Amino acid sequence: MDRNELVTSRCGAVRRLAVFVFIVPCACMFDSDRRATADVTLRAASSYVFRGQVMTDYPVLQAGTQVDLPTRGGGGTTFAALGNLDLTDRVGRAWFGPDHAGEFTEIDLSVRHTRSFGPVEVAAGLVHYSWANGEQFRFVPFPPTSEVFATVGGALLGFRPAITAHYDIDEVHGLYVRADVGRSFDLGGKTSLGLLGWIAWSNAQHSEWLYRTNGSALADAGLEARVTFDLDEVTALHVGISGSTIVDDGLRDWFSTRIEADNVWLDIGLTWRF
């Protein structure tokens, strides 16, 4: 077995171990006395931005589903899938390769276990990213990779602060930490407004992978506003506007002649809850 095969074998073993560590214990704790729920979401967006990096600057359709299984002791386990489909062959000044209209260019699979301790909510999980055309990406090939993550958050004075750390266990071995603050407002008539702000930090390995700059730095910061209309007991319509910027000047230097570092995008979609 040569070195590349050995690395591939070890990465596969790491992924299987991570799946075992996160999924098997959860499966033993499912609470059959409480009902499982499922969501299906279809969302159209004017562009796709991931951690401040423009993946495509043209419209996409994103389809997601998740199943929430209650566990003993009041916690829950969520299995989720998300697919990004390019709606045009053009991508603009972006990371994805062109000429893939009508194709799923990214599929993410994840599992998350959540538990509350009084007002504090703690979660841990695993997410696997797969890019069907990753070898054609504009700046560097993107092979599939996986991250483990952990979140600590809760409610404080009407706000919902949280901090999440992602660590790549497969290809990148990079760390990305994001702090969020959110708040919801009831607008009456089954209508609500959600606001979210965030700022993130990237270590050198993650910066090299996603921002093509080797250095630990503040990465992206952003704001999101989303209005949700409950159309009936099952269906919700949501409309959102989001914006992000690359914070660190060193990271922005790479963006300056290649991709926009400051971006705004719109989205509209439907969610069905069962």
Side-chain angles (χ1 to χ4, degrees):
M1 179 181 295
D2 63 26
R3 183 177 184 276
N4 290 336
E5 290 176 337
L6 179 60
V7 170
T8 300
S9 176
R10 287 178 176 174
C11 289
V14 168
R15 285 197 294 269
R16 288 191 293 272
L17 177 61
V19 170
F20 180 84
V21 168
F22 282 111
I23 295 179
V24 173
C26 297
C28 298
M29 298 188 296
F30 292 146
D31 187 348
S32 60
D33 293 331
R34 291 190 292 151
R35 187 175 71 89
T37 60
D39 290 357
V40 177
T41 297
L42 286 177
R43 175 182 295 123
S46 59
S47 60
Y48 175 30
V49 179
F50 174 69
R51 297 179 182 174
Q53 180 65 269
V54 183
M55 307 309 280
T56 174
D57 203 24
Y58 279 81
V60 299
L61 180 67
Q62 295 181 332
T65 183
Q66 68 177 47
V67 176
D68 296 301
L69 302 174
T71 55
R72 295 168 187 158
T77 298
T78 300
F79 297 91
L82 174 67
N84 180 84
L85 184 144
D86 287 6
L87 292 178
T88 78
D89 282 326
R90 295 177 293 175
V91 298
R93 297 177 64 197
W95 199 286
F96 281 173
D99 303 323
H100 294 293
E103 299 178 20
F104 279 99
T105 50
E106 179 177 339
I107 295 178
D108 304 337
L109 303 174
S110 64
V111 57
R112 180 181 73 250
H113 181 66
T114 305
R115 183 73 182 270
S116 295
F117 300 90
V120 178
E121 187 174 271
V122 178
L126 172 74
V127 57
H128 178 72
Y129 304 96
S130 178
W131 295 276
N133 308 295
E135 72 283 354
Q136 302 172 14
F137 281 8
R138 181 178 173 190
F139 300 108
V140 66
F142 257 35
T145 194
S146 301
E147 293 177 339
V148 292
F149 63 88
T151 301
V152 178
L156 179 65
L157 301 176
F159 294 88
R160 291 198 63 83
I163 186 166
T164 303
H166 291 256
Y167 182 75
D168 189 294
I169 59 173
D170 198 344
E171 294 287 337
V172 184
H173 304 291
L175 179 65
Y176 175 83
V177 182
R178 175 170 142 165
D180 299 313
V181 177
R183 182 154 189 176
S184 297
F185 301 89
D186 184 355
L187 302 181
K190 297 184 179 180
T191 303
S192 61
L193 169 65
L195 301 177
L196 178 69
W198 70 87
I199 188 167
W201 176 87
S202 171
N203 79 347
Q205 291 87 342
H206 182 273
S207 296
E208 175 66 25
W209 174 65
L210 191 58
Y211 310 120
R212 309 311 301 152
T213 304
N214 193 320
S216 300
L218 289 176
D220 60 309
L223 295 170
E224 174 188 286
R226 186 173 306 282
V227 177
T228 300
F229 309 89
D230 289 326
L231 302 179
D232 55 40
E233 293 183 354
V234 173
T235 311
L237 169 69
H238 40 85
V239 180
I241 180 171
S242 306
S244 73
T245 184
I246 298 297
V247 178
D248 181 75
D249 287 340
L251 300 185
R252 291 181 68 91
D253 286 346
W254 178 85
F255 279 77
S256 61
T257 59
R258 298 173 178 87
I259 293 179
E260 292 296 331
D262 307 303
N263 295 279
V264 176
W265 62 97
L266 306 173
D267 68 80
I268 183 170
L270 290 169
T271 296
W272 294 270
R273 306 184 185 100
F274 305 98

